[in-house]
Amino acid sequence: MTDTLAEKTCTPCRGGVPPLTRDEAQRFQAHAPDWELGDDAHRIQRSFRCGNFRDALALVQEIGELAETEGHHPDISFGWGYVTVSLSTKKIKGLHENDFIMASKIDRVLDRSGRPVDRQQ
């Protein structure tokens, strides 16, 4: 499903749909195993270690470009040697399939880039 998720496009979420249940989120999370469920299964998060500040900034820029393309924007924090990405769908105050699509796309970008990024949780 990871490749399948990465091949999908995020669809606009206008609210009014329920967020994923914990069980549904866990099923999606099984296909994005490097991402951890947080906030009682209302968001997913992943952290990356980078070699320095410049590499962290470049990773943020790359994720930001992807987010603009998909129209689905994560919360990102970064500093010297680290980037943390957090995904949730604000309009429904929880997780949606779009969050896992973005997570899979971020993973795919990193795998294809050859960028020396250590994955950490």
Side-chain angles (χ1 to χ4, degrees), residues 9-26:
T9 300
C10 292
T11 57
C13 183
R14 297 192 184 352
V17 297
L20 297 174
T21 65
R22 175 178 286 284
D23 288 341
E24 291 168 331
Q26 287 174 328

Side-chain angles (χ1 to χ4, degrees), residues 57-79:
L57 181 59
L59 178 57
V60 168
Q61 181 66 34
E62 197 165 355
I63 293 169
E65 292 297 327
L66 174 63
E68 280 297 301
T69 299
E70 290 296 314
H72 193 68
H73 303 92
D75 292 329
I76 303 172
S77 62
F78 76 104

